[in-house]
Amino acid sequence: MELRNQRVPYAAAIIKLLQGPIYADDKNIWRELLGWQSAIQEYFGKIGLELVITEQDGFARVLQPEAGEDDENPLPRLMKKQSLNYEATLLAVMLREGLEEFDVRSEGTKYFLTQKEIKERIELFYKEQTNKSKLWRDLSKPIMSLLNIGILKLNREDTSNKDNHQYEVKRIVKAFISNDKLEEIKEKLAHHVNSIQQ
């Protein structure tokens, strides 16, 4: 029998999950994912991965648990750990906070910001500081970092003026920064800003 005839009916969902998060607005894949949830969880479990579906925020992703100290034969890492520098972390925290505010005041599900609006949020954070962070001067690197890990998605590009670029803040940011983590990072960032002001 040819291999293609043995393909499981949820193959597309598995491949998409290996590429990155799946969102509910990708309706066909989302429906396939929910319909075959148990089988997909079982598939990933056999290769040491974990399927995490956050229906409330409309996204799903695959995690690879850390190998235990007693694990004599740890599996190779499928996904590299994402480490963000200070500027990208600050931006992610601001976007996470902005998403919380959006959810409170809006009935919409998608949160969009222009690059100008991102700059304005940063300016509020640094309102006491005369010498703004280099993030204020050059947003391209931290924005690119967040685009690469799926926290931001370019929604509208304006080649004549970057300030008019519009980004969607993807809800996967909640998986990267939980409520507790948000408060912890905000405290650290505030302390960092205070120390460089002195």
Side-chain angles (χ1 to χ4, degrees):
M1 184 182 290
E2 292 184 21
L3 184 61
R4 64 182 180 185
N5 293 334
Q6 299 173 359
R7 189 173 69 187
V8 293
Y10 44 86
I14 286 174
I15 292 169
K16 281 279 193 180
L17 283 162
L18 290 171
Q19 291 173 340
I22 288 178
Y23 291 96
D25 51 10
D26 189 347
K27 290 184 172 52
N28 289 337
I29 290 291
W30 188 254
R31 196 179 306 115
E32 183 175 302
L33 172 68
L34 295 182
W36 292 96
Q37 183 175 341
S38 296
I40 294 171
Q41 281 176 329
E42 184 180 349
Y43 174 88
F44 281 123
K46 288 177 180 176
I47 58 172
L49 301 177
E50 180 184 351
L51 172 65
V52 179
I53 300 175
T54 310
E55 284 194 62
Q56 180 182 350
D57 290 312
F59 68 85
R61 62 182 183 142
V62 170
L63 297 178
Q64 184 171 12
E66 293 291 335
E69 292 180 8
D70 301 331
D71 195 341
E72 296 178 1
N73 191 19
L75 293 168
R77 296 297 301 177
L78 173 67
M79 294 153 280
K80 292 181 180 177
K81 284 189 175 180
Q82 302 287 350
S83 63
L84 299 176
N85 64 14
Y86 167 74
E87 283 77 18
T89 301
L90 172 59
L91 182 54
V93 168
M94 288 180 175
L95 296 175
R96 171 72 168 83
E97 205 170 21
L99 182 60
E100 288 290 312
E101 294 167 7
F102 170 80
D103 284 342
V104 168
R105 70 173 190 267
S106 171
E107 293 182 2
T109 56
K110 293 189 176 184
Y111 176 45
F112 297 99
L113 284 173
T114 63
Q115 190 153 313
K116 183 181 179 183
E117 289 168 332
I118 292 173
K119 281 184 179 179
E120 288 168 355
R121 288 194 74 88
I122 293 166
E123 190 173 36
L124 283 173
F125 187 83
Y126 283 98
K127 62 187 174 190
E128 302 297 328
Q129 190 179 345
T130 52
N131 183 20
K132 303 272 192 297
S133 161
K134 62 182 178 181
L135 174 59
W136 168 250
R137 296 192 296 273
D138 181 13
L139 273 170
S140 59
K141 287 182 181 177
I143 283 178
M144 186 56 67
S145 294
L146 299 192
L147 284 168
N148 287 340
I149 63 173
I151 287 177
L152 281 176
K153 178 184 177 184
L154 183 60
N155 184 59
R156 186 185 68 230
E157 190 171 11
D158 185 339
T159 52
S160 63
N161 186 351
K162 285 184 178 180
D163 275 356
N164 293 330
H165 285 0
Q166 186 186 63
Y167 299 93
E168 180 186 351
V169 181
K170 303 299 284 185
R171 292 186 174 274
I172 194 77
V173 70
K174 289 188 174 185
F176 284 92
I177 305 172
S178 66
N179 285 330
D180 291 342
K181 195 72 176 171
L182 177 63
E183 293 306 315
E184 179 188 329
I185 293 174
K186 276 167 63 180
E187 284 182 22
K188 287 180 180 177
L189 290 172
H191 178 72
H192 176 79
V193 171
N194 290 334
S195 66
I196 59 180
Q197 286 174 351
Q198 293 171 355

